[in-house]
mmCIF file of all heavy atoms in Angstrom:
data_model
loop_
_atom_site.group_PDB
_atom_site.id
_atom_site.type_symbol
_atom_site.label_atom_id
_atom_site.label_comp_id
_atom_site.label_asym_id
_atom_site.label_seq_id
_atom_site.Cartn_x
_atom_site.Cartn_y
_atom_site.Cartn_z
ATOM 1 N N PRO A 298 36.445 -13.144 10.645
ATOM 2 C CA PRO A 298 37.076 -11.839 10.871
ATOM 3 C C PRO A 298 36.671 -10.790 9.836
ATOM 4 O O PRO A 298 36.776 -9.592 10.091
ATOM 5 C CB PRO A 298 38.580 -12.140 10.801
ATOM 6 C CG PRO A 298 38.690 -13.468 10.116
ATOM 7 C CD PRO A 298 37.446 -14.208 10.420
ATOM 8 N N SER A 299 36.174 -11.236 8.677
ATOM 9 C CA SER A 299 35.766 -10.283 7.637
ATOM 10 C C SER A 299 34.353 -9.753 7.839
ATOM 11 O O SER A 299 33.912 -8.854 7.115
ATOM 12 C CB SER A 299 35.860 -10.959 6.257
ATOM 13 O OG SER A 299 35.124 -12.170 6.226
ATOM 14 N N ALA A 300 33.628 -10.295 8.819
ATOM 15 C CA ALA A 300 32.250 -9.856 9.066
ATOM 16 C C ALA A 300 32.243 -8.454 9.669
ATOM 17 O O ALA A 300 33.122 -8.081 10.461
ATOM 18 C CB ALA A 300 31.541 -10.832 9.986
ATOM 19 N N ILE A 301 31.233 -7.669 9.297
ATOM 20 C CA ILE A 301 31.115 -6.269 9.731
ATOM 21 C C ILE A 301 29.786 -6.093 10.464
ATOM 22 O O ILE A 301 28.747 -6.565 10.004
ATOM 23 C CB ILE A 301 31.178 -5.315 8.524
ATOM 24 C CG1 ILE A 301 32.496 -5.490 7.779
ATOM 25 C CG2 ILE A 301 30.984 -3.865 8.954
ATOM 26 C CD1 ILE A 301 32.540 -4.746 6.452
ATOM 27 N N ASP A 302 29.832 -5.398 11.576
ATOM 28 C CA ASP A 302 28.613 -5.106 12.325
ATOM 29 C C ASP A 302 27.765 -4.123 11.515
ATOM 30 O O ASP A 302 28.182 -3.004 11.228
ATOM 31 C CB ASP A 302 28.967 -4.512 13.689
ATOM 32 C CG ASP A 302 27.735 -4.294 14.571
ATOM 33 O OD1 ASP A 302 26.603 -4.574 14.124
ATOM 34 O OD2 ASP A 302 27.915 -3.839 15.724
ATOM 35 N N SER A 303 26.547 -4.545 11.155
ATOM 36 C CA SER A 303 25.669 -3.693 10.343
ATOM 37 C C SER A 303 25.042 -2.571 11.153
ATOM 38 O O SER A 303 24.556 -1.586 10.590
ATOM 39 C CB SER A 303 24.546 -4.542 9.728
ATOM 40 O OG SER A 303 23.661 -5.001 10.745
ATOM 41 N N GLY A 304 25.024 -2.734 12.473
ATOM 42 C CA GLY A 304 24.364 -1.747 13.333
ATOM 43 C C GLY A 304 22.898 -2.053 13.579
ATOM 44 O O GLY A 304 22.258 -1.375 14.371
ATOM 45 N N TYR A 305 22.355 -3.074 12.921
ATOM 46 C CA TYR A 305 20.941 -3.411 13.080
ATOM 47 C C TYR A 305 20.769 -4.407 14.221
ATOM 48 O O TYR A 305 21.589 -5.317 14.407
ATOM 49 C CB TYR A 305 20.375 -3.981 11.781
ATOM 50 C CG TYR A 305 20.490 -3.033 10.613
ATOM 51 C CD1 TYR A 305 21.021 -3.452 9.393
ATOM 52 C CD2 TYR A 305 20.070 -1.697 10.725
ATOM 53 C CE1 TYR A 305 21.130 -2.581 8.318
ATOM 54 C CE2 TYR A 305 20.179 -0.829 9.652
ATOM 55 C CZ TYR A 305 20.715 -1.271 8.458
ATOM 56 O OH TYR A 305 20.833 -0.409 7.389
ATOM 57 N N ARG A 306 19.663 -4.246 14.959
ATOM 58 C CA ARG A 306 19.403 -5.049 16.141
ATOM 59 C C ARG A 306 17.967 -5.563 16.120
ATOM 60 O O ARG A 306 17.057 -4.880 15.650
ATOM 61 C CB ARG A 306 19.616 -4.231 17.418
ATOM 62 C CG ARG A 306 20.981 -3.540 17.528
ATOM 63 C CD ARG A 306 22.077 -4.563 17.800
ATOM 64 N NE ARG A 306 23.384 -3.937 18.017
ATOM 65 C CZ ARG A 306 24.329 -3.830 17.091
ATOM 66 N NH1 ARG A 306 24.075 -4.265 15.850
ATOM 67 N NH2 ARG A 306 25.491 -3.286 17.376
ATOM 68 N N SER A 307 17.770 -6.780 16.662
ATOM 69 C CA SER A 307 16.424 -7.328 16.792
ATOM 70 C C SER A 307 16.417 -8.410 17.853
ATOM 71 O O SER A 307 17.210 -9.368 17.774
ATOM 72 C CB SER A 307 15.938 -7.911 15.459
ATOM 73 O OG SER A 307 14.672 -8.531 15.614
ATOM 74 N N GLY A 308 15.537 -8.266 18.850
ATOM 75 C CA GLY A 308 15.351 -9.303 19.857
ATOM 76 C C GLY A 308 16.607 -9.708 20.587
ATOM 77 O O GLY A 308 16.798 -10.893 20.883
ATOM 78 N N GLY A 309 17.480 -8.781 20.880
ATOM 79 C CA GLY A 309 18.705 -9.107 21.595
ATOM 80 C C GLY A 309 19.832 -9.580 20.707
ATOM 81 O O GLY A 309 20.928 -9.894 21.201
ATOM 82 N N GLY A 310 19.604 -9.663 19.412
ATOM 83 C CA GLY A 310 20.643 -10.077 18.488
ATOM 84 C C GLY A 310 21.124 -8.921 17.631
ATOM 85 O O GLY A 310 20.350 -8.019 17.292
ATOM 86 N N SER A 311 22.388 -8.937 17.280
ATOM 87 C CA SER A 311 22.953 -7.927 16.380
ATOM 88 C C SER A 311 23.324 -8.597 15.065
ATOM 89 O O SER A 311 23.770 -9.745 15.035
ATOM 90 C CB SER A 311 24.194 -7.272 17.004
ATOM 91 O OG SER A 311 25.194 -8.236 17.284
ATOM 92 N N LEU A 312 23.120 -7.880 13.980
ATOM 93 C CA LEU A 312 23.337 -8.435 12.651
ATOM 94 C C LEU A 312 24.712 -8.043 12.130
ATOM 95 O O LEU A 312 25.041 -6.857 12.023
ATOM 96 C CB LEU A 312 22.255 -7.941 11.687
ATOM 97 C CG LEU A 312 22.380 -8.422 10.249
ATOM 98 C CD1 LEU A 312 22.195 -9.934 10.166
ATOM 99 C CD2 LEU A 312 21.374 -7.705 9.347
ATOM 100 N N TRP A 313 25.488 -9.077 11.778
ATOM 101 C CA TRP A 313 26.788 -8.884 11.158
ATOM 102 C C TRP A 313 26.728 -9.440 9.741
ATOM 103 O O TRP A 313 26.091 -10.460 9.488
ATOM 104 C CB TRP A 313 27.878 -9.607 11.951
ATOM 105 C CG TRP A 313 28.146 -8.994 13.311
ATOM 106 C CD1 TRP A 313 27.282 -8.910 14.355
ATOM 107 C CD2 TRP A 313 29.361 -8.399 13.741
ATOM 108 N NE1 TRP A 313 27.867 -8.288 15.426
ATOM 109 C CE2 TRP A 313 29.167 -7.957 15.077
ATOM 110 C CE3 TRP A 313 30.608 -8.187 13.151
ATOM 111 C CZ2 TRP A 313 30.164 -7.325 15.816
ATOM 112 C CZ3 TRP A 313 31.616 -7.556 13.887
ATOM 113 C CH2 TRP A 313 31.382 -7.134 15.193
#
Side-chain angles (χ1 to χ4, degrees):
S299 54
I301 301 171
D302 185 358
S303 68
Y305 301 131
R306 306 288 185 261
S307 176
S311 59
L312 179 65
W313 291 64

